C-alpha cells in the first residue's frame, strides 16, 4: 500500500472513530472535528492527509482524557 493510500485509510478510520459515540451530545463536537479534518484533507496537499488523521485522533484522545476515559 502506498503512503498516500495508507494516510487516506488512516484518515477514514479516524473519522469513523470520531463518529462512533454512545448517542450523547458529544456527537456534535466530534462531527465538527471530523468536518474540519476532512475539509483540511481536501484543501491541502495529499502529503498532509496523515497529519489530519493524527489531529483528529488527538482531539478524540483529549476528549476521552477530559471525560476520565483512557
Amino acid at each position: 500500500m502506498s503512503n498516500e493510500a495508507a494516510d487516506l485509510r488512516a484518515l477514514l478510520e479516524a473519522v469513523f472513530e470520531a463518529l462512533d459515540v454512545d448517542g450523547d451530545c458529544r456527537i456534535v463536537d466530534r462531527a465538527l472535528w471530523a468536518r474540519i479534518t476532512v475539509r483540511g484533507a481536501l484543501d491541502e496537499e495529499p502529503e498532509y492527509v496523515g497529519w489530519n488523521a493524527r489531529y483528529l485522533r488527538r482531539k478524540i484522545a483529549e476528549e476521552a482524557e477530559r471525560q476520565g476515559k483512557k
Side-chain angles (χ1 to χ4, degrees):
M1 180 182 305
S2 71
N3 283 342
E4 286 181 2
D7 285 344
L8 180 57
R9 180 175 175 80
L11 176 63
L12 292 174
E13 287 175 352
V15 169
F16 179 82
E17 290 170 13
L19 300 176
D20 185 24
V21 295
D22 298 330
D24 59 17
C25 63
R26 293 182 332 192
I27 190 70
V28 174
D29 288 338
R30 287 182 171 212
L32 177 62
W33 300 336
R35 284 181 50 104
I36 290 167
T37 302
V38 170
R39 181 79 268 157
L42 292 171
D43 289 347
E44 297 169 358
E45 297 296 321
E47 62 264 17
Y48 297 113
V49 171
W51 183 93
N52 284 285
R54 290 186 299 276
Y55 165 82
L56 184 54
R57 286 211 166 108
R58 186 173 62 249
K59 294 294 286 182
I60 294 167
E62 289 170 358
E63 178 202 45
E65 190 173 311
R66 281 193 309 272
Q67 298 289 325
K69 303 172 189 172
K70 288 192 176 183

